[in-house]
Amino acid sequence: MDGKLFLVPTPIGNLEDMTFRAIRILKECDLILAEDTRTSAPMLKHFGIDKKVFAHHQHNEHKATSEIIKFLNEGQKIALISDAGTPAISDPGFFLVREAIKNDVAVECLPGATAFVPALVNSGLPADAFCFEGFLPVKKGRQTKFKKLAEEDRTIILYESPHRLLKTLEEFSQYLGADRQASVSRELTKMFEETVRGTLVEIKSHFENNTLKGEFVICIAGKEMSKGERAKNKNKYDDAEN
């Protein structure tokens, strides 16, 4: 029997977002690879999934991958999960998937939860074309990234941590303009879910005076969209004066 690697999305907060298919695959597979076994344990217990679970994260994925490929070639069915959301989206998974493909191992990714999709759709910004940046560089290459994004026409999406959110919003204001339209979502699918929309400076002001807790998704209007919005608003003002 041929082995297969399954990439299984898990809820980003609300356990009701787990799919029936994801539960079935996790129950049927031979073993589960989890980013953090302590984080995944309560979720697996909630759904009655009792399988061998091994840690697979950014610190051991290169070392562990050859052994995993060996198990897959022996015919085992292995599922990879991250702490929340879809594996390989700003989480471990890419390296294992690439190596599995190189070794002619079947790979199947289930559809499911990921934070940036609901944040984008909920932002009110154009969703027909966008670029996803994940987490920005902390130091090296950070300024270069901002300069590049300042010329981006598509809606920009990225993740940010609570302790860097205000700094990142301030830097985007400097490089893209304080009046650039944006949306920031936090704690998606959870009890204290919040989405704040407005200009970059307005959103920064909001979070300077409110809770900085949870995972944040930032969506920012692209350059061309911003030009169009400004032109449209100018026409409105001109019409009103006439």
Side-chain angles (χ1 to χ4, degrees):
M1 184 181 293
D2 294 331
K4 180 181 272 192
L5 174 65
F6 293 92
L7 308 177
V8 182
T10 54
I12 59 175
N14 193 322
L15 290 177
E16 292 181 0
D17 294 333
M18 190 72 163
T19 68
F20 293 119
R21 183 179 169 204
I23 295 170
R24 177 179 62 80
I25 292 296
L26 291 176
K27 286 183 175 180
E28 292 178 354
C29 68
D30 296 299
L31 63 92
I32 298 171
L33 304 174
E35 185 179 1
D36 188 330
T37 55
R38 295 165 299 179
T39 301
S40 60
M43 184 271 295
L44 295 173
K45 182 178 179 181
H46 177 83
F47 292 110
I49 299 166
D50 184 17
K51 288 287 177 177
K52 291 182 291 186
V53 182
F54 296 95
H56 184 80
H57 44 72
Q58 62 177 343
H59 302 296
N60 75 348
E61 62 178 338
H62 286 73
K63 182 178 180 180
T65 292
S66 59
E67 189 73 10
I68 295 167
I69 296 298
K70 177 184 174 184
F71 291 152
L72 289 165
N73 283 327
E74 291 173 353
Q76 294 198 39
K77 302 290 192 293
I78 299 176
L80 173 66
I81 61 175
S82 62
D83 286 347
T86 301
I89 302 295
S90 292
D91 279 318
F94 162 73
F95 183 74
L96 177 58
V97 170
R98 186 180 67 181
E99 294 305 301
I101 293 169
K102 283 183 180 179
N103 286 271
D104 296 321
V105 173
V107 179
E108 185 173 337
C109 182
L110 280 62
T114 191
F116 80 80
V117 173
L120 170 62
V121 175
N122 198 30
S123 71
L125 299 173
D128 56 333
F130 59 88
C131 67
F132 174 67
E133 291 291 327
F135 288 95
L136 293 175
V138 177
K139 293 181 180 179
K140 186 178 180 181
R142 189 173 175 89
Q143 286 189 345
T144 301
K145 179 64 72 173
F146 278 113
K147 290 177 181 178
K148 182 178 179 181
L149 292 176
E151 300 303 315
E152 177 59 63
D153 291 333
R154 298 167 295 178
T155 299
I156 302 161
I157 311 168
L158 60 142
Y159 293 156
E160 194 50 279
S161 63
H163 65 277
R164 279 200 297 266
L165 177 70
L166 296 178
K167 177 186 176 183
T168 297
L169 291 174
E170 176 62 31
E171 288 173 304
F172 269 117
S173 294
Q174 293 173 7
Y175 285 94
L176 278 63
D179 64 341
R180 183 71 67 95
Q181 289 293 312
S183 171
V184 174
S185 298
R186 72 176 188 92
E187 296 287 82
L188 285 166
T189 78
K190 300 177 184 177
M191 182 180 295
F192 298 106
E193 176 178 333
E194 177 184 24
T195 294
V196 181
R197 306 174 186 86
T199 64
L200 285 167
V201 70
E202 289 170 343
I203 295 173
K204 180 174 180 288
S205 176
H206 171 85
F207 284 110
E208 283 174 335
N209 299 290
N210 288 277
T211 303
L212 278 174
K213 184 179 180 182
E215 299 294 327
F216 289 81
V217 185
I218 304 173
C219 298
I220 304 173
K223 184 179 179 181
E224 288 304 312
M225 185 270 185
S226 297
K227 286 181 180 178
E229 286 298 309
R230 285 197 291 270
K232 186 167 64 176
N233 289 334
K234 183 179 184 300
N235 291 336
K236 286 181 181 178
Y237 299 144
D238 292 342
D239 293 342
E241 291 177 358
N242 295 331

